[in-house]
Amino acid sequence: MKKLVFMFVAIAAISFASCAQQAPKAETTDAVDTTEVVDTVAPADTAAVDTAAAQ
């Protein structure tokens, strides 16, 4: 009889443990890389080029 009571208590404990509220899962969002690479070239000094060509 004790074994039967122990089994019912064990089943009840497992039932209560499995029905506990679980923390809500965090929403997964897709990671988007927002880094933009801009390749620029510094403007040449045209005054020096014109002066060198004129001499």
Side-chain angles (χ1 to χ4, degrees), residues 10-50:
I11 291 172
I14 291 171
S15 297
F16 285 128
S18 66
C19 293
Q21 286 187 349
Q22 300 200 3
K25 294 181 180 179
E27 294 183 19
T28 57
T29 57
D30 295 334
V32 178
D33 186 12
T34 57
T35 305
E36 182 179 343
V37 177
V38 178
D39 190 17
T40 58
V41 179
D45 187 8
T46 57
V49 174
D50 291 340

